[in-house]
Amino acid sequence: MTDSNLKKLLKNVEEKYGEKPFTPKDFFCLSLDIEAKTGKKVSVSTIKRLWEYVQYDNEPSKRTLNILSKFVGYDNYLHFTGETSQ
């Protein structure tokens, strides 16, 4: 995973959601919207980490990347990045 792919994915999530999340309520509502549209849950704390609302040095999990990619209209993260799916 490259940092530019993650940034692009987060930007696409913001566009799909309609705004960039800034507040705890925004992160909560985004989590609900993701679950409603994908059937999969991404925790509020994970979303806060992705948007750097809280400090976190690790990379997001493959599962999280796949859910966010599905949210913006792709089958999975590999499909989003244009890599060959396996």
Side-chain angles (χ1 to χ4, degrees), residues 21-67:
F22 285 108
T23 67
K25 182 179 177 182
D26 292 340
F27 297 113
F28 176 76
C29 291
L30 176 56
S31 176
L32 292 177
D33 197 37
I34 291 168
E35 185 174 10
K37 290 187 170 75
T38 67
K40 306 283 183 181
K41 183 161 180 60
V42 176
S43 74
V44 174
S45 60
T46 295
I47 293 171
K48 286 178 178 179
R49 288 185 208 117
L50 287 169
W51 269 268
E52 299 177 347
Y53 186 78
V54 295
Q55 180 77 27
Y56 190 70
D57 293 328
N58 291 339
E59 292 185 0
S61 71
K62 181 179 176 181
R63 177 187 176 280
T64 297
L65 295 172
N66 285 335
I67 293 169

Side-chain angles (χ1 to χ4, degrees), residues 3-4 6-7 12 14-17 19 22 30-31 33-34 46-49 55 58 60 65 77 83-86:
D3 193 46
S4 64
L6 178 59
K7 286 180 182 180
N12 285 348
E14 291 170 7
E15 290 171 3
K16 175 79 174 185
Y17 180 61
E19 65 182 337
F22 285 108
L30 176 56
S31 176
D33 197 37
I34 291 168
T46 295
I47 293 171
K48 286 178 178 179
R49 288 185 208 117
Q55 180 77 27
N58 291 339
L65 295 172
Y77 186 67
E83 298 176 26
T84 306
S85 28
Q86 300 174 342

